[in-house]
C-alpha cells in the first residue's frame, strides 16, 4: 500500500515538472490604458510591453529602437527589467502606451513583424546584460508628428535620427 503511494507521488512529481501550464499571460497582450492590472512579477509580460513600446515608438530600424531603449534605460533608476518596465508604464511618457488607440491601430505587415522580432531581441540583449545605450538622452519626440514640448526648450539636442530628436 505505501509502495503505491510512493509510486503515485513520483508520477505526480514527474507530471508537475513536465507538463506545461499555460496562463492568460501566454496569449498576445491587448494593450489598454489599465495595463498595470497584469501580474507585477511576470518578467515575460514586462519584456513584451517594453519590446512593443520600442516597436511602436519608432520601428524604422533596429538602431531607432535601440535609441528608444537607450532613453528608457537612461531614465530608469534601477537598470533591471522591472526598472525599465516602471519607466515604460509611467503615465504620459510613451504615446504608444498612453493611448490604446495608437497601440491597437498598429499595422502588422511583413516588415513590421520583422521589426517586432528585433525589438524583442533588443530587450533580450538587455536581459542578458549585453545592452549598451547609444546615447545619454533622456527625452525624445517626433517633430513631424507633434509640436516641440515646452520642457525641451532649455534642453540640448544630442541627436536627430530617423524622424526623432533626442535631448539630454
Amino acid at each position: 500500500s505505501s509502495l503505491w503511494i510512493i509510486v503515485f507521488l513520483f508520477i505526480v512529481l514527474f507530471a508537475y515538472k513536465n507538463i506545461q501550464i499555460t496562463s492568460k499571460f501566454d496569449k498576445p497582450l491587448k494593450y489598454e490604458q489599465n495595463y498595470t492590472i497584469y501580474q507585477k512579477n511576470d518578467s515575460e509580460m514586462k519584456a513584451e510591453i517594453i519590446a512593443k513600446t520600442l516597436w511602436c515608438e519608432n520601428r524604422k530600424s533596429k538602431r531607432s529602437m535601440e535609441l528608444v531603449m537607450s532613453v528608457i534605460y537612461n531614465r530608469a533608476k534601477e537598470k533591471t527589467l522591472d526598472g525599465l518596465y516602471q519607466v515604460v508604464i509611467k503615465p504620459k511618457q510613451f504615446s504608444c502606451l498612453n493611448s490604446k488607440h495608437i497601440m491597437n491601430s498598429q499595422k502588422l505587415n511583413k516588415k513590421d513583424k520583422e521589426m517586432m522580432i528585433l525589438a524583442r531581441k533588443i530587450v533580450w540583449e538587455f536581459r542578458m546584460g549585453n545592452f549598451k545605450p547609444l546615447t545619454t538622452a533622456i527625452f525624445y519626440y517626433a517633430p513631424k508628428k507633434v509640436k516641440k514640448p515646452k520642457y525641451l526648450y532649455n534642453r540640448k539636442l544630442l541627436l536627430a535620427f530617423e524622424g526623432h530628436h533626442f535631448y539630454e
Side-chain angles (χ1 to χ4, degrees):
S1 168
S2 60
L3 179 62
W4 287 110
I5 292 173
I6 293 171
V7 170
F8 175 75
L9 290 175
F10 274 118
I11 292 170
V12 170
L13 181 62
F14 176 80
Y16 176 76
K17 287 192 168 230
N18 292 295
I19 294 175
Q20 291 188 356
I21 300 171
T22 59
S23 72
K24 66 180 180 177
F25 301 110
D26 293 333
K27 298 175 184 137
L29 295 177
K30 182 173 181 177
Y31 287 87
E32 297 176 4
Q33 289 202 278
N34 59 349
Y35 45 81
T36 55
I37 64 167
Y38 296 115
Q39 257 184 17
K40 290 185 189 272
N41 294 326
D42 188 344
S43 296
E44 297 309 313
M45 178 273 304
K46 290 175 181 179
E48 184 69 6
I49 287 177
I50 294 168
K52 285 191 175 189
T53 301
L54 302 177
W55 176 82
C56 182
E57 289 288 326
N58 193 357
R59 61 181 173 268
K60 288 185 179 185
S61 69
K62 182 179 181 194
R63 181 155 300 266
S64 286
M65 291 188 293
E66 288 172 331
L67 286 166
V68 173
M69 181 68 155
S70 296
V71 169
I72 294 167
Y73 180 91
N74 294 337
R75 287 184 187 181
K77 291 177 185 166
E78 293 180 33
K79 308 305 185 199
T80 63
L81 183 67
D82 189 59
L84 272 63
Y85 173 75
Q86 293 304 321
V87 169
V88 168
I89 65 165
K90 192 173 178 183
K92 300 181 182 177
Q93 298 300 304
F94 295 92
S95 58
C96 286
L97 291 180
N98 288 330
S99 166
K100 68 179 180 179
H101 169 73
I102 293 173
M103 186 61 84
N104 291 337
S105 68
Q106 297 299 304
K107 296 182 282 182
L108 282 173
N109 61 38
K110 184 180 178 190
K111 171 125 168 85
D112 293 322
K113 290 176 184 176
E114 290 169 5
M115 295 309 291
M116 188 65 222
I117 291 167
L118 288 175
R120 289 181 178 128
K121 184 178 179 190
I122 293 166
V123 176
W124 179 255
E125 288 169 356
F126 167 77
R127 293 177 78 183
M128 295 297 104
N130 298 324
F131 178 78
K132 303 285 184 250
L134 302 180
T135 180
T136 58
I138 54 173
F139 300 103
Y140 70 94
Y141 84 107
K144 290 184 179 177
K145 294 182 179 181
V146 296
K147 189 174 126 181
K148 184 175 182 177
K150 291 180 184 178
Y151 61 85
L152 293 179
Y153 284 125
N154 294 326
R155 301 244 175 214
K156 180 181 175 187
L157 175 65
L158 298 175
L159 174 70
F161 187 75
E162 294 185 336
H164 285 76
H165 290 183
F166 295 83
Y167 291 81
E168 65 178 11

